[in-house]
Each structure stands twice: as C-alpha cells, then as structure tokens.
Amino acid sequence: MKNFKVGLILFLGLVFLTLLTGCGKSEKANTNSSSSQESTAQSQSKEKIVSSKDYNENATVIVGIKGGLLSLDPANYRDRVTESVLRNIFDGLVTRNAKGEVQPLVAESWENPSPTEWIFNIRKGVKFHDGTPLTADDVKFTFDRIITEGGLGGETSPRKGLLGPLKEVQKIDDYRVKFILEEPWPILLKMLPHQQIVPKAYIERVGDKAFAEKPIGAGPFKLVEAKLDERIVLERFDDYYGGSPEMEPVGPAKIKTLVFDVIPEVTTRISALKRGEIQRVHALSPTLVTQLKNDPNIEVKMVDGTRVFMLEMNTKKPPFDNVKVRQAMNYAIDMDTIVEKVLEGYATRLAGPLLANGFGTNPDLKPYPYDPEKAKQLLAEAGYPNGFQLVIDTDQNNREVAEAAAASLRKVGIDANTRVWDFGVLKPLLLNGERQMVMTDWGNSTQDPFDLLNPTIKTNGRGNYSLYSNPRVDELLSKADVELDVEKRKQLYYEAQQIIYEDAPWVFGYQLKEIEAGVKDLQGWEPSADGMLYMPDAYMVK
Amino acid sequence: MRFAKILERILATFPIMFGVALIVFLFMRFTPGDPVDLMMGEAGNVSQEEVQALRDQFNLDEPVYIQIKDYFQNLLQGDLGESFKKRRPVLDLIAETLPATIELAIAASIFAIIVGIPIGVYSAVRQKKLVDRLSMGASFLGISMPPFWLGIVLIFIFSVKLGWTPVKGRLDFGIEIQRITGLYVLDSLLTNNWAGLKSALKHLILPSITLGSAMAAIVARVTRSSMLEALSMDYVSFARAKGLVEWKVILIHTLRNALIPTVTVIGLEIGVLLGGNMIVETVFSWPGLGRLAVDGIFNRDYPLVQGVVMFYAFTFVMANLIVDIIYTYLNPKLRI
C-alpha cells in the first residue's frame, strides 16, 4: 500500500510537471494554426493531359498528414490540416492555383456592381455526391449557416470570422447569388476559397450532426469512412463536373482511392514514405531534405510558403522602446547566414514585414544588411555601449533560429540567451508586455497584408507581440481595409511598410518553403503555398 | 474475511479518484494558455462576440468553485464533458482510443515478461559471471534509453533498411477486421481472419519492443535480486540436499517465491502502460490514449485532459488493487 501511494504521488507529480512545463514538441499547427488556407495545387507543368493508358485508374494513394481532423463539416473547424483534406470532398465558389491566384470553381464568373455587392454566377451541371444538382439555394444555405448566430444546430460557426463584413446572401435566380457586405472588403475573393459549398436538402433532411458524420460535397472525391485522428478514406466521384476549366486538366480524379493517414512525427512520416507505406507527405523540415533527395524513388518538391517569420521586440519597454536599438538588432542579426545555414537555404529572406511574393509588398525596401559595426554604433548612441541582458523567447519549432540569432547578438556585446516555451503559455505574457523579444511567425494564406498586418501591427492586434502602435500606420491600414482600387490600395501598403521598416518593431525575417515529398510514381501534384493537399489531378504511373 | 478486505479497498478508491479529479481540475485552470485563443488560428478576424460565445459555451467565465461544482455534478452522472477542440464527448474519445492502448500495453508487457524473467533468473544463477554482467549492463541500457530515440532507431533498421516491419499505425490499408473488442489481434482470432491477424501482429512488433524494453529491464533486475535472495534460503539448500535436479530447484522452489516482487513491479508497470505512452504512440502513429492526451494538453482542452488523467488514475489504482489480490494468492502467508 505504501509503495503504491508513493508511486501515485510521484506519478501525478510527473503528469502535472508535464502539464505545467508544456514539455515536448508542440507543432505550431496546433498552437496557432493559420486557420486555413486554400489553393488548389494544380499541376503547373504544362504537360499534355495524360491519357488513361499511362496511369493506373484503380490506384490507391496514401498521404501522410501531421495531425488529425477536427471535423468533416466544412463550417465547423478552424484548422489548416482539416481544410487541406476537406478540399478534396467539397468545392468552394472559387479556389486558388498553386501560385495563390484566385480561380473560378463552382462560380464560373462574378461581378462587383457596387463596393458592397458581389454577384456570383454559378456553374450549371455541378452535382453533389448524391446526384442532386448544386444551385443558388445551396450556396445561400452554405453561407447563411456560417454567418448566422447559432447557425450550426445552435452553435455559431468558427469560420464566421473568415467572412469579415459579409451581411447577407440573396438568391437572384437558380444560378445567381448576391453577396451584400456591411462595408467594402477588398479581400472577399481571396478569403472565399476557405468556404466550401454544402448540400442544403441533405443537411435539412439529416441534421448537422449526421451530416458531419457522413458528409457529401461536390468535390472530386467522396467520403468512404473516417476516423478523424487516424485515417480518412475517400473514393473518386465519377460524376465530378471536372473542376475549374481555367486549371488544366479538367475531369474526374485519376486515382480511385485517396487515403489520409495521421502521422504526427515527421521522422515517422518520411520513414513510411521511404518504405512505400505512403505515397506523399507534407510538412517536412529543411534538415530532412538532404536525406530524402538521396533516395532515387522519392521526389522532393517545394514552393514558397505563406508564413512570415520574425523576431518581435517589446516596443513599450527599455531597451527596445528606443528605435535605434531596434534598428541595431536588424543590423546585428545575420539573417542571410541563418537562412543559408540553419534553414539550409529553404527560405526566402524578407526585407520588411510582408511576404516576398504577396500582394502589396513594397519593392523598394531592401533587407537590412549585416553590419555589426553599425549595430554597435547605434547601441552606443542609444546609451547601451556595453549592451544589455536579453532573453529571446521562442517555441520548439523556431528554437534553432532563435539560438543562431542570440549568437549573432553576443558578437555585438549583448548578453543574449534563448528560452523555449509552449506557445500557449507564452502568448498571454507577450501581449501583456512582460517579455523582451520573441522569435515567432504568423500565417498569411491569403498572401494579402490585410490578414498579416492587421493582427500583428495594428494597435492592440491579437497577434501584436511587439505592442507596436503607430497612429499613421493604423490609419493607412484602416484605409486599405476598405479601398477597392487595387493601385491605391497598394500605395497605402507601400507607405505603411516604409514606416514599419524604419520603426523596426521586428527584426525582419524570412518566409519558409513548404516542403513536401512523394514517391516517383505519383505524378500530377504540386505543393501549394498554403499547404492544401488537393489531389484531383494526381495519378499513379503504371 | 478476505473478500470484505477487498471490498474495503475498492471503496477506498473513491476518495482517491475524487482527489485526483480536483487536483487535475485546478492544475489545468492554473496552467497559462487560453483554450479559446488557441482554437482561433491566425486567418481572418476574431470578434469579441465570437470569443465570448465560446467562453460561455465552455463555462469558462464562471468562478472556479462554480465550475468545479458543475464538473463534479456531471462526473457523478458519469459525464466527463465534451472536448473543446474536437467537440465530442470525452468518454467517446477515450472509448475509441482505449483498445489501441490496451493492445499495445499487453503486447509490451508480454515482451517484457518473456524477456525480463528468464534474463533475471539466469543472471541470478550465474551471479557475477560474464553473462550476469552483460545482461545487467544491457538492462541498464534498457532503462536509460529514451523511447523516442529507440523507436526511431528501430524504425530505421527494421522498417526502412530491412523492410521487415511496418512503420506506423495498427493495420495495413485494405485489411478489414470486424470490430468486436477493438483489440485487433483478438478480433481477428475470433473471426478467423488470418490476414488481419498477420497485419495486426506485424504492426505491434516495433512499438511493443520500444514500449516494453524499459519494463523488461526493470523486471530482469527485480527478478534477479529476488532470486538471489531466495537462493540463499534454507529450503533451497534443503531441496538440493534432497538431491533434486538443479533446474527443478531453481524453477519450482526458488522462482515461485522470488516472483512476488516481480509481480508487484509488473502490475504497477502495466498500470503505467495503460495510461498510454505519449511518446511511443506519437512515434509509431499509434492511435491511443497517449496521443489524445498530448493533443489535449497543447490545446488546453480542459475536459479532455481531465478525463484522460482521471482514467489514468483509475487504471493505476485498479492495477494496485489487482496486484494486492494476486499477492495473497501467491503467498498464503500474506493477508491483505
């Protein structure tokens, strides 16, 4: 009895230690996954459409994914991995190609008759998996379900926030709907790929709960069975309308069975790929690329991702309340070498706060050069000739980069160290201004500054860890939020970036590549910038 | 008399469980990190109304004592609440993942017993000889090897290089097993599904070795020391003097008495294993309780973590109870 008590106490102690310290490796995807991104990774290569002689029509393809799904209901989650799988079952009004450009899908065209009104023309001949045609009723139903309070059987959809000021959807006729906004919203189209059309009649018949268990959509694959934390099995939908005519090839999927296996540990994912248990993996880290590239049966593919990485400084407290110190950090940290050595070159250095290939990135900004002498001079001018003590906070995913940055800073006389946290614990401390500097990242799947600068730079933004607050920048961003003229909107962002660049609330960082790999026999797929695993065109070579 | 004692012990588990529930509840609440915030991701707007609606739904704005009261009221009705993130009853989630964890725990324990006990016995008999030194060295390694590392190494050698065993999961794709207990090996035996049995066993090999190696080492060491103690007893000398064959002396007279501490250790270890091993389950994509717990912890999914830890404590208490009961049968001199 006694040894048991001691055991129990010890054991519980261990459990709580685990809870408290948040040990282990949390994937950023869990802590603050960018709620979703879309894009259809269409094969960009202009290869001629493969004839059915070249590929195996009955192929089974298994994809290793890093986490389980939260739901099969496209209105009831806010998580990137979930969306990357559901995109295969459901089609949205629009989608994105691999470059991130918006393309028509269920909607064949649209017009924008006034700043707050959009009319979408719905493609005829689109069918749900139960054979019923998709019409304006389904589109209206889909969006009503999301924007209505309690629209999901009493709960409100977690995706409501992704539709911004959308107020109402009106049916004009069977194949036309009108979207009415509270205020102009330039990024409506860029946000729409996040929403997939669901069948009105079926949901009304079976209810929200049953729909989430046995969903049907209008996408290229239909659901066979799903254990959300284990395995999701899909099968080709033969009556698929073919997808966007703007994105070749058009037609039903070329694989019979598409399976998603949950494999949380990245080493296990690539081992399963090497052994041939699975045919495609995503979310690989730069350090693994080399060993995969040496395998003759495996192809590694990558594309610029949509996450901005940076070191944010607490602008409300010394030493970082002084702009010279912040600029000094930008000169002192050798970001090019970090990209080259720590990230093995699989990243793109950023000059300012925005993605290199996104909308509205100011082309005149050049990255701060690595100049330790200049950094020391600025530190001396700011009254820190002997440096200061600094802890760079980070999480497991960004640990190596944070350590490299600290090493850079020690060279200019700053006593810098790193501390690794569970991000859930760290976040409230950052927002309360209790920390000094954090190495982190923010997802920007729309590749539009709206979704990046508003949360991270605007005063009191929910991801503004530098506590940066500049009235002029706030004003520019608020104007850009509702400016429909593309050129004018760009200029607003250009000016905002110029100010942010000089104010340097961050040490500007880099964007990582999305790295994926597949077996050689699997063709017709490309990684998409925002990590979607959309596979209507993938095929297995005979 | 003995039965009454056992009943008393069973009843004594209730206050323990209650205490555990209370402690877990409080610790989860005092762990920094906001469950609602962690659910929201980075894209799009997050309105105050949205956050507030979720906080209301999860009962997070009530004072802690009210939350505790609500939690225990539900608990007494056998309701562990609903997971924040997965939006499903915690009890269902545990029931779904439990068979995988049980199967792995059993396989790991069998591995530990068939490896640990013979090594322990043999080392004791050959005390201070080379064999003894080697196996005790190996067991030291077994205890100190991190399971994460061992799992990856085994995958690399046996799956990637040699191609003998699968890397992940419980079954090959395309193999169907009719679900009766959720233990795939058992279910496939019950339904004469030989393909299913083969696939399930193949998938069990590496994770059970990874999970069982530390336990095997502990079992070997405990068996060895209790064997040494038993071998020095008078009845062993007496048995030998009677002219009994040596192996009979060892296996029948000595081992039976030496096994008592070993059974204790095995029981406690199984209790630990049933809680699901977070690391091994993650490495081998084994869809069990451990992975569920990890997920819950990182997302501050209070009801899920509370439910899993409660279950964990429950198995631990039960394991102890069963060990005590087996004791009394192994050694008639003992009474609870």
Side-chain angles (χ1 to χ4, degrees):
Chain A
M1 195 60 204
K2 191 157 182 141
N3 66 4
F4 146 61
K5 275 187 189 133
V6 171
L8 186 63
I9 289 164
L10 273 178
F11 155 70
L12 285 176
L14 272 176
V15 169
F16 295 137
L17 266 179
T18 314
L19 292 181
L20 281 177
T21 52
C23 74
K25 195 161 180 160
S26 85
E27 292 236 353
K28 193 65 172 248
N30 298 341
T31 49
N32 48 0
S33 60
S34 67
S35 94
S36 48
Q37 3 280 323
E38 61 286 339
S39 107
T40 38
Q42 292 280 355
S43 160
Q44 279 180 286
S45 51
K46 291 285 171 253
E47 56 186 302
K48 62 177 198 304
I49 310 306
V50 282
S51 77
S52 58
K53 282 198 234 37
D54 305 331
Y55 66 88
N56 175 359
E57 284 185 325
N58 297 316
T60 296
V61 170
I62 306 182
V63 182
I65 51 176
K66 69 180 177 185
L69 271 56
L70 296 182
S71 171
L72 294 172
D73 179 343
N76 198 10
Y77 66 91
R78 203 150 169 173
D79 162 72
R80 178 164 161 166
V81 173
T82 303
E83 182 169 4
S84 70
V85 173
L86 291 192
R87 283 298 185 79
N88 292 291
I89 309 176
F90 301 92
D91 273 5
L93 285 176
V94 295
T95 184
R96 291 194 198 128
N97 61 17
K99 286 188 197 143
E101 299 155 338
V102 173
Q103 300 289 335
L105 201 57
V106 167
E108 57 185 5
S109 59
W110 47 85
E111 56 218 80
N112 187 196
S114 86
T116 55
E117 288 180 320
W118 290 77
I119 292 173
F120 289 92
N121 301 309
I122 296 159
R123 196 179 303 280
K124 294 188 172 70
V126 178
K127 279 191 192 141
F128 285 110
H129 299 155
D130 61 354
T132 52
L134 186 156
T135 65
D137 289 322
D138 299 298
V139 176
K140 175 172 164 52
F141 175 83
T142 296
F143 287 93
D144 283 350
R145 210 169 157 243
I146 294 166
I147 58 180
T148 311
E149 292 290 333
L152 282 184
E155 289 176 11
T156 303
S157 166
R159 301 186 85 64
K160 189 175 191 297
L162 302 174
L163 287 169
L166 177 63
K167 189 170 66 176
E168 192 189 346
V169 177
Q170 293 173 348
K171 174 182 168 183
I172 301 172
D173 58 37
D174 274 353
Y175 289 97
R176 279 196 304 165
V177 289
K178 185 193 267 184
F179 279 41
I180 296 168
L181 307 172
E182 302 261 8
E183 59 181 9
W185 199 43
I187 67 161
L188 172 73
L189 275 182
K190 291 182 187 173
M191 292 299 276
L192 274 185
H194 288 304
Q195 311 292 357
Q196 277 67 52
I197 309 302
V198 296
K200 176 176 189 235
Y202 178 69
I203 294 182
E204 284 180 341
R205 196 170 68 240
V206 302
D208 293 282
K209 259 205 154 41
F211 170 72
E213 277 159 26
K214 284 204 165 36
I216 57 173
F221 292 92
K222 55 188 184 197
L223 181 84
V224 178
E225 56 172 339
K227 286 185 183 163
L228 296 187
D229 288 322
E230 201 174 334
R231 172 173 283 166
I232 292 92
V233 183
L234 314 179
E235 200 172 70
R236 173 171 50 222
F237 174 46
D238 290 323
D239 275 347
Y240 184 55
Y241 66 99
S244 177
E246 279 75 6
M247 299 196 302
E248 297 277 327
V250 176
K254 298 188 178 61
I255 40 187
K256 174 101 178 113
T257 313
L258 176 60
V259 183
F260 292 90
D261 268 0
V262 180
I263 310 176
E265 175 53 43
V266 65
T267 325
T268 314
R269 276 203 297 282
I270 60 171
S271 300
L273 183 73
K274 278 171 169 277
R275 193 174 174 267
E277 280 177 54
I278 57 178
Q279 285 71 46
R280 179 180 175 183
V281 288
H282 73 151
L284 300 180
S285 52
T287 40
L288 297 167
V289 174
T290 318
Q291 63 152 309
L292 279 175
K293 279 197 162 161
N294 294 337
D295 190 321
N297 303 318
I298 290 176
E299 258 181 308
V300 179
K301 299 182 178 185
M302 52 187 84
V303 64
D304 278 327
T306 55
R307 261 178 188 282
V308 171
F309 290 75
M310 72 299 251
L311 292 110
E312 304 194 31
M313 293 167 273
N314 180 345
T315 57
K316 290 281 175 274
K317 263 198 190 155
F320 296 129
D321 56 348
N322 185 324
V323 64
K324 284 189 169 162
V325 178
R326 299 199 298 265
Q327 288 171 341
M329 297 299 106
N330 274 288
Y331 286 115
I333 292 176
D334 185 359
M335 200 55 79
D336 282 331
T337 303
I338 287 177
V339 166
E340 210 43 55
K341 293 280 186 294
V342 181
L343 306 170
E344 315 230 352
Y346 300 121
T348 306
R349 170 89 194 266
L350 301 178
L354 292 184
L355 293 168
N357 52 345
F359 173 85
T361 303
N362 186 332
D364 300 336
L365 296 182
K366 294 284 169 285
Y368 278 83
Y370 174 56
D371 190 345
E373 289 313 311
K374 175 113 188 182
K376 281 183 193 160
Q377 180 200 327
L378 283 166
L379 284 170
E381 286 172 23
Y384 297 99
N386 304 319
F388 46 85
Q389 277 209 322
L390 172 67
V391 176
I392 304 175
D393 297 320
T394 187
D395 64 358
Q396 193 56 43
N397 300 320
N398 292 317
R399 189 176 54 85
E400 287 94 348
V401 174
E403 281 166 359
S408 271
L409 292 177
R410 285 196 289 270
K411 285 185 185 151
V412 298
I414 292 167
D415 181 10
N417 288 295
T418 56
R419 179 170 172 184
V420 177
W421 300 69
D422 166 54
F423 210 79
V425 176
L426 179 58
K427 195 173 170 177
L429 302 178
L430 295 171
L431 292 172
N432 286 336
E434 293 171 39
R435 309 296 307 169
Q436 294 174 287
M437 184 190 256
V438 60
M439 167 70 219
T440 184
D441 55 90
W442 193 270
N444 185 210
S445 57
T446 54
Q447 300 179 24
D448 188 284
F450 174 92
D451 229 11
L452 177 77
L453 296 182
N454 287 7
T456 60
I457 287 288
K458 243 187 185 169
T459 304
N460 298 328
R462 63 192 177 104
N464 186 340
Y465 308 131
S466 64
L467 307 175
Y468 181 67
S469 173
N470 180 319
R472 176 68 187 147
V473 171
D474 287 355
E475 186 191 353
L476 289 164
L477 295 181
S478 297
K479 277 188 184 161
D481 289 350
V482 293
E483 178 57 63
L484 290 172
D485 181 300
V486 174
E487 261 323 297
K488 279 189 190 152
R489 198 163 171 254
K490 262 189 193 165
Q491 291 305 326
L492 292 167
Y493 281 131
Y494 285 178
E495 191 187 333
Q497 281 165 81
Q498 190 65 46
I499 301 170
I500 296 164
Y501 180 85
E502 283 155 21
D503 274 347
W506 305 349
V507 175
F508 302 111
Y510 52 89
Q511 71 191 92
L512 273 182
K513 301 231 184 264
E514 284 286 330
I515 307 171
E516 300 191 9
V519 294
K520 276 258 164 51
D521 286 347
L522 181 68
Q523 294 293 323
W525 64 279
E526 289 295 333
S528 69
D530 49 20
M532 290 299 110
L533 297 162
Y534 188 58
M535 299 185 66
D537 304 328
Y539 61 93
M540 285 297 276
V541 177
K542 264 186 185 159
Chain B
M1 184 67 215
R2 183 187 286 175
F3 179 73
K5 285 275 184 203
I6 290 173
L7 193 69
E8 196 179 300
R9 283 290 313 278
I10 291 174
L11 289 176
T13 59
F14 285 98
I16 294 176
M17 294 301 296
F18 179 85
V20 169
L22 189 65
I23 294 168
V24 179
F25 190 95
L26 291 173
F27 267 98
M28 275 315 281
R29 290 305 181 286
F30 295 136
T31 305
D34 179 55
V36 174
D37 185 53
L38 289 170
M39 283 173 73
M40 290 318 327
E42 291 168 1
N45 313 346
V46 175
S47 67
Q48 273 320 108
E49 296 84 58
E50 217 173 335
V51 170
Q52 202 45 54
L54 281 171
R55 296 192 71 84
D56 290 344
Q57 192 189 322
F58 300 154
N59 204 7
L60 288 170
D61 287 338
E62 297 284 358
V64 169
Y65 64 89
I66 301 269
Q67 290 187 41
I68 290 180
K69 182 180 74 80
D70 292 347
Y71 184 67
F72 276 107
Q73 267 174 354
N74 293 334
L75 204 58
L76 288 174
Q77 297 160 12
D79 177 9
L80 289 173
E82 196 176 72
S83 153
F84 290 169
K85 193 161 179 178
K86 299 178 192 287
R87 303 191 176 210
R88 296 179 52 213
V90 170
L91 213 52
D92 291 3
L93 291 167
I94 292 178
E96 269 170 35
T97 52
L98 191 57
T101 293
I102 291 179
E103 183 162 63
L104 183 53
I106 293 173
S109 308
I110 291 173
F111 169 79
I113 292 164
I114 58 178
V115 171
I117 292 181
I119 286 181
V121 172
Y122 198 65
S123 298
V125 174
R126 318 278 295 164
Q127 198 197 354
K128 294 196 176 137
K129 300 268 190 331
L130 182 63
V131 175
D132 179 28
R133 297 238 188 275
L134 279 179
S135 52
M136 284 304 106
S139 83
F140 188 73
L141 263 180
I143 293 174
S144 45
M145 253 188 311
F148 178 80
W149 180 84
L150 178 63
I152 299 271
V153 167
L154 289 178
I155 286 179
F156 186 73
I157 297 173
F158 294 100
S159 304
V160 178
K161 284 283 162 224
L162 299 169
W164 292 351
T165 50
V167 174
K168 50 121 186 87
R170 298 178 69 193
L171 274 187
D172 295 304
F173 179 72
I175 301 262
E176 297 285 333
I177 289 182
Q178 196 190 329
R179 198 183 164 100
I180 301 165
T181 60
L183 306 181
Y184 287 175
V185 172
L186 194 61
D187 290 353
S188 53
L189 278 172
L190 290 174
T191 53
N192 292 337
N193 178 348
W194 305 120
L197 180 66
K198 190 176 154 197
S199 181
L201 284 174
K202 266 197 338 204
H203 282 82
L204 264 170
I205 295 170
L206 292 190
S208 56
I209 291 175
T210 309
L211 187 57
S213 61
M215 180 174 165
I218 294 168
V219 168
R221 292 179 92 87
V222 171
T223 308
R224 175 179 176 269
S225 59
S226 48
M227 274 299 285
L228 286 175
E229 198 178 329
L231 281 168
S232 63
M233 291 284 173
D234 291 346
Y235 60 80
V236 175
S237 321
F238 182 69
R240 281 182 177 146
K242 272 200 318 190
L244 276 183
V245 194
E246 184 67 7
W247 68 262
K248 277 192 177 169
V249 173
I250 304 267
L251 291 188
I252 295 169
H253 291 256
T254 319
L255 186 58
R256 195 181 144 183
N257 290 297
L259 269 186
I260 294 173
T262 310
V263 168
T264 314
V265 167
I266 291 172
L268 295 182
E269 286 285 323
I270 290 178
V272 172
L273 295 187
L274 279 178
N277 185 303
M278 302 176 184
I279 293 168
V280 174
E281 286 184 4
T282 302
V283 170
F284 290 96
S285 308
W286 196 265
L289 207 56
R291 252 177 57 187
L292 193 66
V294 171
D295 240 26
I297 289 168
F298 283 126
N299 295 307
R300 305 293 184 277
D301 196 332
Y302 299 159
L304 183 57
V305 177
Q306 281 156 208
V308 173
V309 176
M310 289 282 296
F311 176 81
Y312 215 154
F314 179 74
T315 51
F316 211 76
V317 170
M318 284 296 127
N320 269 281
L321 190 63
I322 291 163
V323 166
D324 284 347
I325 294 167
I326 293 177
Y327 252 23
T328 54
Y329 287 98
L330 267 180
N331 188 345
K333 278 192 294 190
L334 280 178
R335 288 282 179 270
I336 300 182

